[in-house]
């Protein structure tokens, strides 16, 4: 059996993956903060860790893998969005979580085994904060509870930057009640008109970092096998998770492997970011007529740790690749996984190499079985080439067939040309006419 090797951010090298318990392989990936629509950059970690989860289930069995991806449904951005709309934060969070699930589903992202919500785990957060206060790793000040960074001599171990550099490179909140500039909030006060929960430190709500630590402890255990997320989460989010979890668990590590995906940028631009305004949402791309599977392949076209430049040409190339694969795979039953594809994914999820291996497979069943490990070719040949069942297109194709039967070839050619102007290609065969978007 080919060994799975993953690049561990903490170790700064690829390591052979050996789960603590092969009968219960645990993975946690940071999920969405649900205050607006997910952009295509937000979709990259969802797709990457979906592929990793598929690989782990293939290797250890579906029943052995416990993959959790959280939902941050209480956050200052959610509160602000709700205030601007004049609705409850719960309304905003529920709406955008539904959008997120729909968008990721369109990209072929399977639902994780667990989807813990921050608002469903408040008692666990309060309990963890209380342990940190009792052990001297946290303190109360001005209605807040903060983690005392100097209490953890190993703080910064993930990013391997010195403390001054970390503070200089982060948007550290300046507050008079902090004992140290690097200290971060575990609990913050909520006024009566704002969402909040009762706690030993008064009515309030959790800070962002404590959410993941408490949910991991409750649902997966003190130390998990794999913790994943985007490169931008290494500091401060994951660094803070590591510190508070380690201090709450008497030195036990939070995760045995840390896996981070690289940034996605618009062509010729900076990292895609809502704060920079250089984003395109998954919903917008779908509304433009791009299939979710095309977007998924585009996200997998570069190695997950490398930067990826998003462009129209990348989408077109991914669509053309899927056209070829669907023609080769047909509607064959799903077969075994090609050893070359399996080996490529076992080498730190080398999806570009895996995709190149797919192109060389000449057995349709093996092709579909191998592609399924990447979340590809899961639809039928007909549904791929016929599009999404556009009633208007179907009616025009029927009208063209009728014109051909009447030997009105000029009208048939006119309809073909009209559809071609819309980027729709017709393919005639003895079985009839199918259509696809070019």
């Amino acid at each position: 059996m080919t060994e799975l090797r993953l690049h561990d951010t903490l170790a700064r090298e690829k390591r052979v993956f050996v789960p603590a318990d092969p009968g219960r392989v645990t993975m946690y990936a940071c999920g969405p903060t649900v205050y607006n629509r997910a952009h295509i950059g937000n979709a990259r970690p969802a797709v990457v860790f979906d592929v990793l989860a598929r690989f782990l289930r293939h290797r250890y069995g579906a029943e052995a893998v416990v993959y959790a991806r959280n939902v941050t449904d209480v956050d200052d951005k959610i509160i602000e969005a709700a205030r601007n709309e004049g609705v409850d934060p719960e309304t905003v969070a529920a709406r955008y979580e539904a959008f997120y699930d729909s968008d990721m589903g369109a990209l072929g992202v399977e639902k994780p085994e667990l989807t813990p919500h921050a608002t469903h785990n408040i008692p666990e957060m309060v309990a963890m904060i209380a342990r940190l206060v009792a052990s001297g790793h946290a303190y109360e000040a001005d209605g807040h509870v903060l983690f005392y960074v100097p209490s953890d001599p190993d703080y910064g171990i993930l990013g391997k930057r010195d403390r001054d550099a970390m503070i200089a490179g982060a948007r550290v909140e300046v507050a008079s009640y902090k004992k140290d500039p690097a200290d971060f909030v575990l609990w913050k006060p909520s006024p009566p008109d704002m969402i909040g929960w009762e706690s030993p430190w008064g009515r309030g709500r959790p800070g962002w970092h404590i959410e993941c630590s408490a949910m991991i402890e409750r649902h997966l255990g003190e130390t998990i096998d794999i913790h994943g997320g985007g490169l931008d989460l290494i500091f401060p989010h994951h660094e803070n998770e590591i510190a508070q979890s380690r201090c709450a668990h008497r030195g036990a590590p939070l995760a045995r492997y840390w896996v981070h995906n690289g940034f996605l940028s618009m062509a010729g631009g900076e990292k895609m970011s809502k704060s920079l305004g250089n984003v395109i949402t998954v919903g917008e791309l779908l509304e433009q007529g791009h299939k979710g599977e095309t977007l998924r392949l585009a996200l997998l076209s570069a190695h997950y740790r490398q930067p990826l430049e998003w462009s129209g040409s990348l989408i077109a190339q991914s669509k053309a690749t899927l056209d070829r694969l669907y023609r080769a795979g047909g509607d064959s039953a799903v077969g075994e996984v090609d050893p070359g594809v399996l080996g490529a994914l076992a080498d730190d999820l080398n999806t570009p190499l895996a995709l190149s291996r797919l192109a060389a497979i000449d057995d349709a069943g093996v092709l579909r079985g191998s592609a399924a490990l990447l979340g590809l070719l899961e639809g039928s040949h007909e549904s791929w080439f016929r599009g999404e069942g556009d009633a208007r297109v179907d009616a025009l194709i029927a009208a063209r067939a009728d014109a051909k039967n009447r030997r009105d070839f000029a009208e048939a050619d006119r309809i073909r040309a009209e559809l071609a102007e819309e980027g729709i290609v017709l393919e005639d065969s003895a079985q009839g006419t199918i259509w696809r978007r070019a």
Side-chain angles (χ1 to χ4, degrees):
M1 181 182 292
T2 306
E3 292 179 324
L4 170 60
R5 293 167 60 85
L6 292 173
H7 186 275
D8 180 6
T9 305
L10 185 60
R12 293 295 191 273
E13 64 180 7
K14 282 196 282 189
R15 298 173 53 214
V16 174
F17 176 70
V18 180
D21 177 4
R24 188 175 187 268
V25 183
T26 52
M27 180 170 75
Y28 181 96
C30 290
T33 299
V34 283
Y35 69 97
N36 61 10
R37 293 294 290 269
H39 61 66
I40 191 63
N42 298 141
R44 192 178 193 190
V47 170
V48 165
F49 292 105
D50 179 67
V51 171
L52 179 53
R54 288 169 184 259
F55 185 94
L56 293 172
R57 294 183 193 115
H58 177 83
R59 173 61 58 86
Y60 297 100
E63 70 287 347
V65 176
V66 186
Y67 170 31
R69 185 187 66 211
N70 75 297
V71 175
T72 296
D73 57 349
V74 56
D75 180 87
D76 289 349
K77 292 177 181 177
I78 297 173
I79 293 170
E80 181 181 0
R83 184 182 295 116
N84 292 338
E85 287 190 36
V87 298
D88 292 332
E90 295 91 337
T91 300
V92 171
R95 178 200 308 150
Y96 288 111
E97 182 182 355
F99 275 129
Y100 183 85
D101 288 343
S102 175
D103 290 343
M104 295 308 109
L107 299 184
V109 175
E110 297 178 328
K111 289 280 286 185
E113 282 74 18
L114 299 173
T115 309
H117 290 59
T119 57
H120 301 170
N121 293 270
I122 299 298
E124 289 73 21
M125 297 179 206
V126 170
M128 180 172 281
I129 294 170
R131 296 204 308 271
L132 290 169
V133 171
S135 60
H137 292 291
Y139 60 93
E140 183 180 2
D142 198 23
H144 296 71
V145 181
L146 298 102
F147 184 86
Y148 185 44
V149 169
S151 73
D152 178 18
D154 291 326
Y155 186 82
I157 191 173
L158 184 65
K160 289 185 171 55
R161 293 182 291 178
D162 65 55
R163 183 177 176 284
D164 291 339
M166 284 189 286
I167 294 174
R171 291 176 292 180
V172 174
E173 180 186 0
V174 177
S176 59
Y177 50 78
K178 285 187 175 184
K179 290 184 177 180
D180 187 276
D183 295 350
F184 56 89
V185 172
L186 301 173
W187 189 262
K188 61 181 74 174
S190 289
D193 61 345
M194 185 178 291
I195 186 171
W197 294 263
E198 294 302 324
S199 80
W201 317 284
R203 188 174 183 277
R205 60 195 190 280
W208 176 34
H209 311 300
I210 195 66
E211 295 177 11
C212 291
S213 288
M215 288 189 283
I216 287 171
E217 178 187 71
R218 174 183 176 183
H219 298 284
L220 298 177
E222 288 190 0
T223 300
I224 61 175
D225 289 312
I226 301 170
H227 195 313
L231 195 64
D232 55 326
L233 296 181
I234 292 176
F235 182 82
H237 186 49
H238 289 167
E239 203 75 78
N240 292 351
E241 277 188 60
I242 288 174
Q244 64 199 11
S245 292
R246 179 174 53 230
C247 292
H249 298 145
R250 304 163 303 284
L254 174 57
R256 301 172 63 248
Y257 297 80
W258 287 87
V259 180
H260 293 92
N261 65 272
F263 294 131
L264 186 147
S265 65
M266 295 297 282
E270 299 178 88
K271 181 195 80 169
M272 190 176 289
S273 167
K274 291 169 187 168
S275 62
L276 295 175
N278 60 342
V279 301
I280 184 165
T281 68
V282 174
E284 288 169 337
L285 289 163
L286 295 172
E287 288 169 6
Q288 291 172 10
H290 302 298
K291 294 195 177 201
E293 193 170 351
T294 301
L295 306 178
R296 181 185 181 94
L297 191 147
L299 290 169
L300 296 175
S301 63
H303 191 277
Y304 79 90
R305 288 195 291 114
Q306 299 304 313
L308 175 62
E309 190 173 87
W310 193 260
S311 67
S313 61
L314 174 65
I315 298 174
Q317 181 182 3
S318 299
K319 171 65 167 58
T321 297
L322 282 166
D323 284 348
R324 292 193 299 272
L325 292 174
Y326 266 104
R327 287 193 182 94
D331 284 322
S332 297
V334 174
E336 297 296 320
V337 177
D338 175 75
V341 172
L342 203 59
L345 294 178
D347 184 14
D348 195 30
L349 291 189
N350 191 336
T351 56
L353 179 58
L355 290 170
S356 71
R357 299 288 193 192
L358 287 181
I361 298 173
D362 55 12
D363 182 300
V366 173
L367 172 58
R368 290 185 71 91
S370 302
L373 205 54
L374 291 158
L376 302 173
L377 301 192
E378 297 192 327
S380 69
H381 178 275
E382 181 182 1
S383 67
W384 175 259
F385 286 108
R386 279 185 56 83
E388 301 300 328
D390 189 305
R392 174 180 165 277
V393 174
D394 290 340
L396 285 171
I397 290 174
R400 176 175 174 267
D402 180 64
K404 290 173 69 177
N405 288 335
R406 292 184 283 104
R407 303 189 69 78
D408 186 353
F409 298 114
E411 174 64 6
D413 289 344
R414 185 198 66 76
I415 293 174
R416 178 188 280 275
E418 178 184 339
L419 292 170
E421 287 181 1
E422 299 176 19
I424 294 172
V425 177
L426 304 184
E427 296 181 356
D428 295 320
S429 69
Q431 289 74 40
T433 301
I434 62 173
W435 63 273
R436 60 183 174 85
R437 301 190 185 278

